[in-house]
Amino acid sequence: MTNRMPHPMTDAATFIDPHDIDVDLNPSNNPEFRDIAETRNALNVSRRNVLKTGAASAGMRMFGSFGLLGLAGCGSDGDDNGSTASQPAPLPPPPPPVLGFSAVAKSVADAVIVPAGYSVSVLYRLGDPITASTSDYRNDGTDSAASFAFRAGDHHDGMHFFGVGSNGQYSTTASDRGLLVMNHEAITPAYLHPTGATTVSGVRTVAEEVQREFYLHGVSVIEVNRSGNAFTYSRTSSFNRRVHTLTDMELAGPAARTPLMITKYSPDGSKTRGTVNNCANGYTPWGTYLACEENWAGYFRRIAATDDPNRTPKERASFARYGVTGTGRELWATVTPDTADNIYGRWNAAKLGVSADGSDDYRNVANTYGWNVEIDPFNATSTPKKRTAMGRFAHEGAWVGPVVAGKPLIWYMGCDSRGEYIYKYVSTANWDPADATRGMAAGDKYLNDGRLYVAKFNSDGSGQWIELKFGINGITAANAAYAFTDQADVLINARLAADAVGATKMDRPEWGAVNPRNGEVYLTLTNNSNRTVATADAANPRVYNDIRANGVNQRGNPNGHIIRWVETLSEPSATSFAWDVYLFGARATQDINNVNLSGLTANNDFSSPDGLWFSRASNICWIQTDDGAFTDVTNCMMLAASPGAVGDGGKKSIVASDATTTRTLDTYVGKPPGDANLRRFLVGPKECEITGIAESPDGKALFVNIQHPGEETAPNFTTKTYGSYWPDGGTSRPRSATIVITRNDGGVIGL
Ligand code: FEO
Ligand code: CA
Ligand code: CA
Ligand code: CA
């Protein structure tokens, strides 16, 4: 968790930092590995057998079955014919990528630094207009609220490049023209208004400021075009669109149109208004985007002390488990007078009305958030759909697994808070490549009906996916912590269902990525200051002290790690897997036996992995950081990696230690990468997070988001003193922005 600038408007006692809502709201007694140490035979398949059959022999089969077919099957333009063969001939996997650049040094400069031979251009900044008639951004807090419906939002985050073919439709190969779709996760209010947000005694008194903030969240769709080696975005494209907190959204899947979704806005529970805190993302084989709602809970106002007496025990348990218990992070519900359609009051989740079903207030509104939101970037007037079958939690993002004709589609998902879980969604329908051109109708087919699983990591290196289904695995009305009613209740309260089945509490699950070479799944566990000697387990094994230059202790797992797994027999819908830890973040100077377990050096040491993406062009694994622990030495960064495979290292015994206790435990550590296979590629400007990555399909342009530069230093508007002046320089206010990285010789990035 980064030490960010105190939020100017929120009550410290109840406020949960929405930038990294990593508080531990998980009171379950679920095992951290020690308690499940002897379950190794539960799978009927030993770790060694999983590795042997899953990673080695099936790894060869896998590339043939999905590496080529899957990607081809995604195609919808005339260039991709989309094979429908059921059993393609096995092909050898491609060789691992060979990194071809010199590592950049750690840096605290207010600049984006990339290797020699590469160039950076700034593409799309906070406030940039997306129509020809919208004025240039003044960047002094005076642009009208209404104009922000046609401007870039703040806090650029998860992102995807959808190629546009010559027919104007989705193309998996078009690289010169594309739709860049990105999330605007949150805001830094200090820079959005003349002198920061205006708040008097906990009340927002300037409605215009709040309206501006409504538009600054959400998603951008912009058309980008390449000329020579350079990309620009079009201000006149008919594809350009903003989705924000005022956009009408359909609720889809099993939890839609159920009693828990009824609001005054939608008495039949069929829709809601807006999306918020869209962190990382996903995409589908039919060319749509998934914007994932992460720290939505903190936006709702619900003063527990006054509202709890009006709520049922189940409602109270649900609110507590998700953290809907505060003043509302931006105090949006405090604006008066409200509008006829409650654009402010709909952020108040308290029970205020007299109806029996909630159709006269917003007591259920928080249930309409916490989902993956499907958006069709190729249809600027389409209604986004919240896909409830994928579960409700603090969605970091959703990463599609191998796409194989005749097999279910898979999405891997993380819930980013301390001690939360990793999930997998498996569609009921098997993939039909003919659906690649069906847009949201394909979404209805694959994303409204499926099975939701949660991960349990065993201490012997095996793991299980446990289904979250009403009536099985203890998810019943008899469950002590929360009496489930039906499957809609399970999906809306997925965290409570995962508690009930004994899922493994992880060190803040962030991004996932699937290795195109062998189908193995990687997932960043960014850090966890709450991890203790008592709760350490094989998959979250480190507890140590990372001492800052100023002597401040940082305990727990302050630098994070990246876990990976291979599904049994390399079958993505398998219910068991084998895992190891690919990489542990650490200072290169840390203890090599217990902390710097991956042997990081000055060329690749990092902390708090967050963004993760395997390039389809180069197979390079890109790792981005959102860090507050290593910032005494360096700003946040992006690294390039060429990983091996699950099991290429081995079992290792390490010592976890806090101020008073130590304990020895075993974990599984991937082969140390060395400078050859892990190198720092980029360092960002001051006080930023590096997040969001997309590439042109030819791999010759890499799009990266620089989020909230200068966020931690309180600004002085009189002297124009800010924590960063990036990207415009001089005495300008800092702006989140998308950059484009190209190689000066026009080659594939990173090789
Ligand atoms: Fe929004 Fe978990 O990062
Ligand atoms: Ca962030
Ligand atoms: Ca993130
Ligand atoms: Ca993060």
Side-chain angles (χ1 to χ4, degrees), residues 368-689:
T368 72
Y369 278 71
W371 306 104
N372 291 337
V373 184
E374 186 179 11
I375 297 170
D376 184 355
F378 290 88
N379 181 352
T381 60
S382 59
T383 300
K385 295 189 179 187
K386 297 199 178 187
R387 298 296 184 184
T388 66
M390 302 177 92
R392 173 173 171 263
F393 40 90
H395 275 284
E396 178 74 21
W399 292 278
V400 67
V403 177
V404 183
K407 299 267 192 178
L409 296 177
I410 310 295
W411 277 266
Y412 295 100
M413 305 177 288
C415 176
D416 179 12
S417 281
R418 294 179 206 152
E420 291 298 342
Y421 307 126
I422 295 170
Y423 298 82
K424 175 166 88 168
Y425 173 82
V426 180
S427 70
T428 299
N430 292 324
W431 174 239
D432 177 355
D435 290 328
T437 56
R438 294 182 62 231
M440 298 292 274
D444 291 340
K445 176 177 176 181
Y446 296 99
L447 299 180
N448 284 352
D449 186 3
R451 285 166 289 161
L452 183 64
Y453 296 86
V454 69
K456 185 171 176 178
F457 290 79
N458 299 321
S459 59
D460 63 356
S462 67
Q464 293 160 272
W465 293 109
I466 307 173
E467 189 171 5
L468 303 181
K469 182 179 179 183
F470 180 70
I472 66 170
N473 297 330
I475 305 172
T476 66
N479 181 54
Y482 186 87
F484 291 97
T485 307
D486 54 22
Q487 186 62 14
D489 200 12
V490 171
L491 293 168
I492 290 170
N493 291 289
R495 279 183 172 178
L496 287 157
D499 293 345
V501 304
T504 304
K505 297 176 170 184
M506 308 301 287
D507 285 347
R508 296 187 55 201
E510 298 252 26
W511 288 52
V514 179
N515 188 342
R517 297 184 58 246
N518 58 16
E520 294 184 357
V521 189
Y522 288 62
L523 198 136
T524 53
L525 299 165
T526 194
N527 56 55
N528 186 354
S529 56
N530 277 2
R531 187 62 67 179
T532 65
V533 166
T535 65
D537 60 40
N540 305 274
R542 287 189 309 172
V543 180
Y544 58 100
N545 188 10
D546 177 51
I547 305 172
R548 289 180 77 91
N550 62 4
V552 169
N553 295 323
Q554 303 178 114
R555 296 187 190 276
N557 174 16
N559 303 128
H561 55 289
I562 303 175
I563 201 163
R564 66 182 169 186
W565 62 88
V566 56
E567 304 280 10
T568 296
L569 298 176
S570 295
E571 187 66 52
S573 60
T575 54
S576 61
F577 56 88
W579 64 269
D580 70 7
V581 175
Y582 161 54
L583 204 56
F584 287 95
R587 293 171 200 258
T589 50
Q590 268 279 20
D591 168 13
I592 198 87
N593 293 312
N594 301 299
V595 182
N596 184 17
L597 296 168
S598 298
L600 304 184
T601 72
N603 286 328
N604 58 23
D605 55 350
F606 70 95
S607 174
S608 303
D610 189 337
L612 199 63
W613 165 255
F614 274 96
S615 163
R616 266 46 184 172
S618 68
N619 289 324
I620 286 174
C621 178
W622 295 99
I623 302 165
Q624 302 174 316
T625 70
D626 170 18
D627 182 49
F630 199 18
T631 45
D632 53 336
V633 172
T634 184
N635 299 338
C636 287
M637 65 182 71
M638 185 167 83
L639 305 103
S642 179
V646 173
D648 63 7
K651 191 171 181 176
K652 185 167 173 61
S653 187
I654 71 168
V655 177
S657 64
D658 58 24
T660 56
T661 345
T662 64
R663 186 178 127 221
T664 300
L665 72 169
D666 291 338
T667 185
Y668 297 90
V669 187
K671 182 182 176 186
D675 287 0
N677 293 316
L678 180 67
R679 251 173 240 174
R680 191 178 302 106
F681 181 85
L682 175 153
V683 183
K686 291 184 174 180
E687 300 176 17
C688 79
E689 163 185 347

Side-chain angles (χ1 to χ4, degrees), residues 344-368:
Y344 309 112
R346 48 85 50 128
W347 293 100
N348 188 342
K351 183 177 180 181
L352 302 174
V354 297
S355 68
D357 62 2
S359 59
D360 60 347
D361 62 13
Y362 290 88
R363 77 187 70 159
N364 293 324
V365 67
N367 292 335
T368 72

Side-chain angles (χ1 to χ4, degrees), residues 58 60 67 79 105 178 185 209 265 334-335 339 364 443 470 580 623 642 656 669 671 673 685:
M60 295 295 285
D79 303 329
E185 182 185 28
E209 292 178 0
Y265 185 69
T334 65
V335 176
T339 60
N364 293 324
F470 180 70
D580 70 7
I623 302 165
S642 179
V669 187
K671 182 182 176 186

